[in-house]
Amino acid sequence: MSLTPGRIAEAIARVEMAGERHWIPLLRALGQRRIVLIVINRTSDALPIRWLKRHPLPALILVTDDDFRSSGPTAFPDARKALRYAATHLIHGARAEIEHYEGAILAAEAKGSCCLVETDAAHLDEWIAFAALAARPRRVPTLVVRPTEGAGPIVREAVH
């Protein structure tokens, strides 16, 4: 399927109607040919690492564990490969904000790849530990977004 400006505009309209505005930067970056986007869900089990290594655009790999059945990393067969491959990680366990997704795009552009893990607060620490283990022996720059009650998310860098 070709990512024409019309299709990108249609996808943006759909995510806005669905209340998923945080996807807009990803769709725009795709349309502007700034990144290549790979979405990993529970059924994904064939992450195209060789293809990503040859692709001229930075890779943003999105792990979608933020639905209403969040389960942590064990339910995602491709998560370990994605986190091992990525040069940067963003582990996101708070309410989705457009700025966070723009930051993931910038990280992918700056370092060549970023794995953005969307999860809930209950599985956030599990994903942080899993990401650090998956990346070994490297220490991958990791940004963690934690929720707080009433004040919005706390963003801090975790050293792995």
Side-chain angles (χ1 to χ4, degrees):
M1 172 171 52
S2 176
L3 292 175
T4 64
R7 286 182 191 230
I8 294 291
E10 182 181 309
I12 288 172
R14 284 184 183 166
V15 298
E16 280 189 301
M17 284 190 298
E20 302 290 328
R21 293 185 46 81
H22 57 280
W23 275 80
I24 293 172
L26 301 177
L27 293 169
R28 285 190 178 135
L30 277 171
Q32 296 164 352
R33 307 279 192 254
R34 291 174 56 198
I35 61 166
V36 60
L37 176 66
I38 303 289
V39 178
I40 295 177
N41 56 39
R42 285 174 187 81
T43 60
S44 302
D45 65 354
L47 184 66
I49 296 292
R50 286 189 190 133
W51 178 81
L52 285 174
K53 287 179 178 179
R54 291 190 316 264
H55 202 286
L57 294 177
L60 197 149
I61 304 169
L62 178 65
V63 179
T64 59
D65 188 31
D66 68 338
D67 54 14
F68 294 103
R69 58 188 181 114
S70 183
S71 55
T74 57
F76 291 81
D78 271 349
R80 184 178 305 281
K81 281 196 304 188
L83 291 159
R84 180 177 305 283
Y85 169 77
T88 60
H89 299 157
L90 195 161
I91 314 296
H92 194 283
R95 185 184 64 192
E97 300 285 346
I98 287 175
E99 296 82 14
H100 304 155
Y101 290 74
E102 289 170 342
I105 293 164
L106 292 173
E109 289 176 323
K111 295 293 188 177
S113 59
C114 178
C115 184
L116 167 56
V117 176
E118 299 175 322
T119 191
D120 62 4
H123 294 96
L124 184 62
D125 290 328
E126 186 180 354
W127 274 107
I128 293 167
F130 185 82
L133 285 173
R136 277 189 181 162
R138 297 179 304 135
R139 293 173 56 121
V140 174
T142 301
L143 185 66
V144 176
V145 180
R146 290 188 180 277
T148 60
E149 289 190 36
I154 294 175
V155 179
R156 69 173 172 86
E157 181 149 349
V159 179
H160 293 298

